[in-house]
Amino acid sequence: MTALSPLAAETIPTPDALSIRPELPEDDGWIEALHEISFGPGRFARAAYRVRERIGVDPSLSHIAEVKGERAASVRMTPIAIGGVKGYMLGPLMTDPAYRKQGAGRALVRHVCDLALARDGIAFVLLVGDFAYYGPLGFEKTVLRAIRFPGPVDPERVLVLAPDAGLKDVLAGNVGPWV
Ligand SMILES: CC(C)(COP(=O)(O)OP(=O)(O)OC[C@H]1O[C@@H](n2cnc3c(N)ncnc32)[C@H](O)[C@@H]1OP(=O)(O)O)[C@@H](O)C(=O)NCCC(=O)NCCS
């Protein structure tokens, strides 16, 4: 796969080399190209994509990770509610192949989850993803098929991060907008 960034990842960056900033309008083209190489032509059919299309992402929680000042990874967050409980849906999370395995993905997840969960009335961050990756970041499996998306989704991949440890067992209903 071709790297999106002109900077080759010859060196493993020190933590000092990794920085996170809010997404800007001029990042749109880079993010769309990264989306295409990360998820391919099937990306528009994904259940999480449908939620984002219907509700719209929150630009204040969409962030970019940079390595030595070059764009390396992107994450977006969408405000959602499930059964009257307000939270955010995380995704897509994508790292430029030239910068993978350097901690950018994990750093972005931690950063935007901290920001989201610090907001008044926000009880959880939900995502559809691999438990092997997100489990170590605190995400837990939800009750199978309790959370319904506008499209098919593998219920084993519906994961939640919530300060209230009991929420994952009772969160149920359609994924919809805040009301
Ligand atoms: C998943 C992704 C965002 C990780 O980005 P990253 O910046 O490389 O992540 P980090 O550096 O924080 O973590 C890398 C570690 O996670 C592991 N990892 C990556 N994807 C994984 C997955 N799906 N399941 C389990 N582990 C995974 C890597 O092997 C690596 O392990 P190591 O630290 O033992 O070497 C990136 O691989 C990517 O963009 N993939 C394509 C899009 C995608 O699948 N996004 C996630 C949607 S759920």
Side-chain angles (χ1 to χ4, degrees):
M1 236 179 286
T2 309
L4 291 169
S5 164
L7 183 68
E10 322 90 325
T11 54
I12 301 293
T14 63
D16 288 348
L18 183 67
S19 57
I20 294 177
R21 62 162 174 82
E23 181 187 316
L24 300 169
E26 51 265 39
D27 296 315
D28 272 355
W30 180 83
I31 291 170
E32 181 45 40
L34 185 55
H35 200 208
E36 187 176 357
I37 63 166
S38 299
F39 297 104
R43 62 194 184 281
F44 304 120
R46 294 162 61 91
Y49 179 89
R50 291 185 192 179
V51 172
R52 286 193 290 274
E53 280 297 290
R54 287 178 189 195
I55 298 177
V57 300
D58 181 340
S60 73
L61 285 180
S62 298
H63 280 65
I64 298 281
E66 294 184 337
V67 172
K68 293 182 181 169
E70 296 288 334
R71 286 180 289 213
S74 156
V75 70
R76 284 175 164 167
M77 295 277 265
T78 302
I80 59 166
I82 301 170
V85 184
K86 284 166 76 174
Y88 278 90
M89 186 186 75
L90 183 149
L93 170 71
M94 310 169 296
T95 299
D96 181 329
Y99 293 106
R100 286 185 188 170
K101 297 195 173 192
Q102 299 179 30
R106 280 183 297 232
L108 269 185
V109 171
R110 287 199 183 100
H111 185 75
V112 296
C113 288
D114 285 351
L115 291 176
L117 293 171
R119 293 187 172 184
D120 274 351
I122 298 304
F124 65 87
V125 176
L126 184 87
L127 59 79
V128 181
D130 288 335
F131 183 69
Y133 184 75
Y134 291 103
L137 293 167
F139 283 81
E140 298 179 282
K141 295 189 179 185
T142 53
V143 176
L144 292 184
R145 282 173 278 280
I147 297 169
R148 293 183 297 274
F149 284 75
V153 65
D154 177 353
E156 296 275 0
R157 290 167 51 83
V158 180
L159 309 177
V160 72
L161 175 71
D164 172 358
L167 189 66
K168 68 179 188 306
D169 301 319
V170 296
L171 202 57
N174 294 325
V175 176
W178 292 352
V179 285

